[in-house]
Amino acid sequence: MALTLEQRIQRRLGLSPARATRRDVYRALCDSVREAVLERWVHTEEAWSEARHVAYLSVEFHMGRLLKTNLLALDLVEEARAALEPFGISLDELEEEEPDARIASGGLGRLAACFLDSLATQDLPGWGYGLRLELGMFKQQIVDGAQTESPDPWLGRQGWPWERPCAQEAVEVNFAGHVEFTHNRHLHCTWKPHHTVLAVPYDIPVVGHGTGSVGTLRLWQAEPTRELDVSAFLEGDYAQAFRENAIARSLTTFLYPPDHSAAGQELRVAQQYFLAAASVADLLRRFGGPEGLAERCTIQLNDTHPVLAIPELMRILLDEQDRTWEQAWEITREVFAYTNHTLLPEALETWSVDLIGRLFPRHIQIMEEIDRRHQQVVRKAHPSDHERPGRVAIVDPDNDRVHMAHLGVIGSRKVNGVAALHTRLLREGLFRDFDELYPERFCNKTNGITPRRWLLQCNPRLASLISEAIGEGWERDLERLRELEPYAEDAGFRGRYAQIKLQNKQDLAVWCEETHGIRFDPETLLDVQVKRIHLYKRQLLLVLWCVRRALQLERGEISEVVPRTVLFAGKAAATYEAAKRVIRMIHAVGEGLEYLPQVKDKLRVIFIPDYKVSAAQRIIPAAEISEQISAAGYEASGTGNMKLSLNGAITIGTMDGANIEIREAVGAEHVVTFGLDAAGIRQQQQQGPGPRELYESDETLREVLDTIASFEPYAPGFPDLVRELLHEDQYCVLADFAAYCEAQDEIDRRYLDSAGWNRSAVLNTARMGRFSSDRTIREYAQEVWRLEPVPVAP
Ligand code: 26Y
């Protein structure tokens, strides 16, 4: 490091080192890391200038903290520790100064961050494109057992040290207005927009691990084209003077503005278009026009949110570049690829034709024309099927909706799901009609996670043990973990592995108490369910099991039981009442158990508020049981399941999403599987015994539900929750309850055999190599993006 931290504090921050706060030291250290990155960044840009690229468009990126990640990638950890010595601050303490960068709600955003890491680490030319949102999802606090939300201004007052504004590359993005037609030889359309905002890019370096490549995440911030309306200002109408300013800025304020109002829907779709249009303009500039674009780039659409990029590129080609429809469509279809992340009908975006027409008068015409031609193909292929055209419509005037997923499929060269089961269900269900037309378009890309963050960084003790056993370098070639397999038979190694788990639990216990005032005994078996709170993920199933276990303990029915801590963490969407009730239920049960003397030392339920990447990095290395208990057919993939198994937690899970492939990889005897599979769930929903019947026929279940209903005085609303479950058990919690209880008993039995348990844990780590996001990205690079690595010397 060229300057000492003291010099940096003085010369670069303009502060006296004697008065430097911890935050100042943090900023000085970031400054020196940035310096180490900048040269590589420039070299990478030069080296990649002629190469094919991928542009990964996503409204979400959950990058987490970057200081330690970047130090590890650059092999500067020891140097940083030494530099901090004079300040008497440890690197771990300093890390706590860094806010999590979290423009994200869940798995889709974290996946995007893992992908960027794998691209750079494997020298694959690519950029991420997202939104520089002022507020991430929200900060979750628990007040009287209920979730409350407060804004999360993650950029901080002093700005985020990892970004670089690039005002010189700002682009204009237009909205509303009307379309003018002119005729000279052929019809020409011109969009006359009503208003314009500026998209200003901020670039974040993505430092490849152990290579010279540095990729880029470009985040767009919306700004007005003029700061204020001077004449309104001079007249004293300040609201009007700053109106345009406020409207522009609102585009990059929130992630997923609530869309139950018309204004909310408008903002949401305007935001999506803003990302799509700014990114397409930027790519056309970089590649010198449409030919270059198609030859040199794939635009990967991360779910439907950026799908308006398709009609935007068509508009530019038709109206600004004078291409024929056929030429424009060929280029567009060549450029785009689309990933679906969910089968849940409520997450499949559709927008009103009227709204799209108002905001994007030219794009709606283009979408209608795409649809008209698409319908012709469908009718030709299935002349006697009169239902089909309606089912596959992009613009459906009958119910006034534009179907973004249909547009994504029709406008892309490749479409993929994120785990084998998910892709199969997409092809058989949601996209069946499309699959029949274009089977070659569909493919599977099972998700992965970066081993740099999710093992090397979050579990340094285990990382050292692994390196000691099999040598270094596995974090860039995760299949090498297989070399650990023989160590599973070595009692000494297993003992050290188990010792590390215990130490990680101890660290977590200290952090939980210090940060959240929540206590648990690290000697207990740590059972975790960490993910978004959603009915399909069935946190309720685990809660019901906790109540059952408590009843058994109270009655002294089980004595030899392994003491457990059940740890939940996750956020409910602010407007998702049923999920918020689940959080209240977890708290009520957790509190209730504390009052039962026969129970409290054997079973504790805790909820860690404000789940985020930095919290996950503490919880996951300590976890011993990984709860992956979604109703089969609903979890597209899951990625927490991969992180937990890699860190040696044993999965208790359904045959859903990537659980199926994890089971295949680690071996059926090293996970515990239970419950209905996807077909079973469908059958149960259609013709299985109803929830009432299950309640009447299963005594255990009845007792559990009656107990919960009797919490009424402490937790009003619970009888409603039980009534709802008994009325409609959409996600088959009751139908899977008995099987789940048996699976939990199996977990207990296995844990009592500590040699067997630790053997399984070691084998979980050893056999998870396939779930490195490096493998996922290589598959995308070969089969979807046609990218070749372009190495950059460090
Ligand atoms: C706009 C809106 C309705 C919406 C907002 C966020 C729709 C979807 C999402 C986010 C979806 C998401 O995070 N899906 C998760 O993607 C992961 C990465 O592929 C999967 O592992 C996980 O199973 C899936 O739920």
Side-chain angles (χ1 to χ4, degrees), residues 60 107-108 111 256 268 305 341 349 418 447 536 635-638:
E60 294 191 24
L108 170 154
L111 183 77
Y256 306 128
R268 172 98 61 99
H305 320 143
H341 293 267
E349 290 189 300
V418 290
N447 283 166
Y536 86 79
E635 189 69 271
S637 161

Side-chain angles (χ1 to χ4, degrees), residues 1 4-6 25 29 78-87:
M1 294 182 191
T4 67
L5 290 184
E6 265 153 332
V25 179
L29 184 57
E78 288 317 313
E79 214 173 308
R81 289 216 161 98
L84 286 173
E85 238 163 57
F87 296 88

Side-chain angles (χ1 to χ4, degrees), residues 282-427:
D282 196 50
L283 290 164
L284 284 168
R285 177 188 58 77
R286 290 186 195 236
F287 292 114
E291 262 72 34
L293 182 69
E295 237 168 72
R296 299 260 313 278
C297 175
T298 299
I299 302 180
Q300 186 70 38
L301 302 168
N302 200 23
D303 219 291
T304 52
H305 320 143
V307 160
L308 285 170
I310 293 173
E312 171 65 2
L313 180 58
M314 283 296 287
R315 182 191 67 79
I316 294 171
L317 292 167
L318 293 168
D319 301 355
E320 295 178 8
Q321 309 260 344
D322 279 323
R323 302 304 166 102
T324 63
W325 181 276
E326 288 71 22
Q327 290 166 338
W329 187 238
E330 195 181 317
I331 292 177
T332 302
R333 279 271 339 279
E334 187 60 27
V335 168
F336 288 100
Y338 154 58
T339 305
N340 173 286
H341 293 267
T342 182
L343 290 156
L344 288 180
E346 62 265 36
L348 291 170
E349 290 189 300
T350 67
W351 300 111
S352 102
V353 176
D354 180 56
L355 170 65
I356 299 285
R358 219 163 8 91
L359 280 180
F360 314 112
R362 179 61 181 134
H363 300 77
I364 193 76
Q365 295 172 344
I366 293 172
M367 288 190 263
E368 278 164 351
E369 182 60 15
I370 296 175
D371 196 30
R372 194 183 65 79
R373 291 171 183 246
H374 162 54
Q375 299 280 342
Q376 275 177 352
V377 177
V378 175
R379 281 203 198 88
K380 200 161 161 211
H382 303 275
S384 54
D385 187 344
H386 303 296
E387 304 275 294
R388 197 176 285 251
R391 282 204 306 263
V392 297
I394 296 169
V395 185
D396 183 353
D398 289 345
N399 61 11
D400 179 46
R401 303 311 281 178
V402 182
H403 289 261
M404 303 312 276
H406 294 181
L407 180 58
V409 175
I410 289 305
S412 296
R413 191 168 45 79
K414 288 280 176 195
V415 177
N416 74 284
V418 290
L421 172 71
H422 172 232
T423 302
R424 180 165 70 74
L425 294 176
L426 277 179
R427 298 183 74 164

Side-chain angles (χ1 to χ4, degrees), residues 603-708:
L603 178 64
R604 167 161 286 165
V605 172
I606 60 177
F607 185 98
I608 307 299
D610 208 32
Y611 189 55
K612 53 184 167 182
V613 164
S614 59
Q617 286 175 225
R618 294 175 188 279
I619 295 168
I620 287 168
E624 290 168 294
I625 303 175
S626 160
E627 298 277 350
Q628 307 301 338
I629 58 179
S630 50
Y634 286 94
E635 189 69 271
S637 161
T639 45
N641 47 4
M642 301 170 187
K643 295 163 199 167
L644 285 155
S645 165
L646 180 63
N647 283 276
I650 305 300
T651 304
I652 177 169
T654 47
M655 291 295 266
D656 198 14
N659 295 352
I660 298 174
E661 289 157 82
I662 292 175
R663 179 174 188 262
E664 228 168 67
V666 304
E669 64 281 29
H670 303 295
V671 298
V672 176
T673 306
F674 73 95
L676 298 165
D677 64 7
I681 290 278
R682 224 172 309 141
Q683 202 192 355
Q684 162 66 26
Q685 287 166 332
Q686 284 160 6
Q687 46 193 298
R692 265 278 153 205
E693 229 172 295
L694 290 163
Y695 171 86
E696 300 295 346
S697 64
D698 181 338
E699 198 184 324
T700 313
L701 184 58
R702 195 162 59 241
E703 193 188 7
V704 167
L705 290 174
D706 291 348
T707 306
I708 290 172

